[in-house]
């Protein structure tokens, strides 16, 4: 078996560089939020969902009180 001293490993790491071994990272692109009708609709639905869920009591959905209904278009 070949044993390696911890000091040798630390000295090797200190004297070695990773420059050129790893790919160059992509530049960070910063974009400013620009609202539109789709994000506003999503955010509104999300907020109402949060408000609704915070006002529910446990259990959230009782199977005895669920009523199914049919929606038809004419």
């Amino acid at each position: 078996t070949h044993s390696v001293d911890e000091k040798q490993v630390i000295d090797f790491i200190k004297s070695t560089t990773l420059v050129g071994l790893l790919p160059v990272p992509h530049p960070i692109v910063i974009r400013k939020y620009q609202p539109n009708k789709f994000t506003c609709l999503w955010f509104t639905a999300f907020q109402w969902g949060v408000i609704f869920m915070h006002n529910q009591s446990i259990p959230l959905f009782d199977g005895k009180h669920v009523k199914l209904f049919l929606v038809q278009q004419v």
Side-chain angles (χ1 to χ4, degrees), residues 7-19:
K7 184 175 178 341
Q8 290 175 318
V9 173
I10 292 173
D11 290 341
F12 177 76
I13 291 172
K14 285 181 180 179
S15 66
T16 306
T17 178
L18 293 177
V19 174

Side-chain angles (χ1 to χ4, degrees), residues 16-35:
T16 306
T17 178
L18 293 177
V19 174
L21 293 177
L22 301 173
V24 178
H26 296 288
I28 297 174
V29 178
I30 299 174
R31 293 192 177 119
K32 201 169 182 182
Y33 171 70
Q34 297 177 351

Side-chain angles (χ1 to χ4, degrees), residues 18-61:
L18 293 177
V19 174
L21 293 177
L22 301 173
V24 178
H26 296 288
I28 297 174
V29 178
I30 299 174
R31 293 192 177 119
K32 201 169 182 182
Y33 171 70
Q34 297 177 351
N36 61 47
K37 67 179 182 176
F38 301 110
T39 56
C40 288
L41 178 64
W42 176 86
F43 188 68
T44 302
F46 175 76
Q47 285 292 6
W48 278 115
V50 169
I51 291 168
F52 176 78
M53 293 305 289
H54 278 278
N55 289 295
Q56 294 300 304
S57 59
I58 303 295
L60 294 178
F61 304 104

